[in-house]
Amino acid sequence: MTSPDTSSDAFSAFERVLDVVAERRAEFEEKRHVPRDVIAEFKRAGIYRSSVPTRFGGNPLPPVEFLRLVERISVVDGSAGWVASFGSSHVYLAALPLETQAALYADGPDVVFAGGLFPVRPAERVEGGYRVSGRWKFASGCKGADVFGVGITAGEDRAGRPLTAVLRPGQVEIAENWDVIGMRGTGSHDLVADGVVVPAEWTFVRGGEPTVDEPLYRYPTVPYAAQVLAVVGLGVARAALDHAVAQGGRQGFTGAPRPAERATYRIAVGRAEARLRSARAFFYEATEEAWATVTAGDPASAAQASLLRLAATHLAETSFAAVRSAYQLSGIAAIADGSPMQRFLRDASVVPQHAFLQEGMYDGAGAVLTGVPPFPGYL
């Protein structure tokens, strides 16, 4: 898929995705997942080939382009944006041997990967691979996945980074237990495997050295994983603020002045807008800077990778604050089940709860900025 700005076919397919998501978002919440026929629309729009190597038929997008696609989907529905964001996960799979990747994409590049990587489970070493058993949490989008990843360890010293074992649908059970208040449509159920033997060549270290030499696979992998989730919160916040602005002209229940006629309402809207746009600008600025470095043939620096993590964490926090502000501005009408503010608030609350986006990331960023070693796993 190319950018919507340069391909009319891709643009039309992507616009159809937005229409389908708008029409069926209530269904996602009810079913607790995005159905496979909608995932097929995502595939047709190129979402799941946007991080597949060119040599295997993919069309790896620059991160800023992919992030903007996820942002636009998330304006319509946070759960759909969250599921679409894992179109970026093939940057992990680029660490698999080339022969394995060729087999993975043998039927085409539109492959959906869902990972339930934690808690990491011990695996038994067997001839040629690993015997994998256990239960793993938070496999977002697993109901529409073609392959799965689970986190394992077998005693090797890999600088604290576990292996990911790649499994096929017949090798894993989805335990449907996604009972949450926000991002209900992501289908982030548990994965269960029992004694599955996984060949060594179908395992990789997440964020490990890629076997593909293309620009996208030189971009910082783990920071990118945080970015694709943070931008979901941005999309939800954009929708919430737009709703609050549109509601400014409504007549109050008590006959009081319309919200937009009150200085407090206007000030709150203006402040939230400025803060959200500022966080968005920092986020995309850091993305463009790191991408310019890797496309010039150089590795992104530790400082650049840290700025990506800092910008993502700040965006997740700021987006949630913007949604809270919009919710409060919406008054008593926001408490109704039918109010879109209910969904915005619930979905936005999930994003900064993710391990990649919690407050501790500020500690890592501060460490890099002050020349102190950050906590293990930050970079």
Side-chain angles (χ1 to χ4, degrees), residues 76-97:
V76 184
D77 181 62
S79 289
W82 191 274
V83 171
S85 79
F86 292 100
S88 67
S89 61
H90 297 275
V91 296
Y92 292 157
L93 298 172
L96 287 166

Side-chain angles (χ1 to χ4, degrees), residues 16-198:
R16 172 163 171 76
V17 163
L18 298 181
D19 290 342
V20 170
V21 168
E23 179 183 343
R24 298 179 61 181
R25 58 194 171 200
E27 179 187 347
F28 305 161
E29 288 236 337
E30 180 183 356
K31 291 184 174 178
R32 304 289 174 128
H33 69 271
V34 177
R36 277 192 173 272
D37 66 310
V38 179
I39 297 298
E41 296 287 351
F42 287 7
K43 288 184 177 183
R44 277 189 282 274
I47 298 295
Y48 291 108
R49 65 173 59 191
S50 58
S51 68
V52 174
T54 303
R55 67 184 295 163
F56 299 119
N59 186 22
L61 292 180
V64 70
E65 292 189 27
F66 182 75
L67 291 166
R68 284 175 175 156
L69 296 181
V70 175
E71 179 186 354
R72 288 192 63 197
I73 296 171
S74 302
V75 171
V76 184
D77 181 62
S79 289
W82 191 274
V83 171
S85 79
F86 292 100
S88 67
S89 61
H90 297 275
V91 296
Y92 292 157
L93 298 172
L96 287 166
L98 290 176
E99 296 79 5
T100 304
Q101 293 184 62
L104 179 64
Y105 304 122
D107 295 328
D110 300 305
V111 175
V112 182
F113 175 80
L117 305 183
F118 297 99
V120 175
R121 300 299 187 186
E124 176 190 357
R125 292 206 62 137
V126 297
E127 184 176 355
Y130 306 90
R131 189 181 306 279
V132 175
S133 297
R135 187 177 183 123
W136 297 264
K137 302 194 72 63
F138 307 127
S140 296
C142 60
K143 294 284 286 184
D146 302 308
V147 291
F148 304 87
V150 297
I152 62 171
T153 181
E156 299 93 339
D157 180 8
R158 294 179 179 272
R161 296 185 298 181
L163 286 172
T164 298
V166 178
L167 307 177
R168 298 289 185 174
Q171 298 174 309
V172 66
E173 174 192 349
I174 297 173
E176 297 191 26
N177 63 342
W178 188 237
D179 186 12
V180 293
I181 64 165
M183 296 293 178
R184 287 176 174 169
T186 63
S188 303
H189 303 295
D190 287 5
L191 300 179
V192 180
D194 185 13
V196 177
V197 175
V198 180

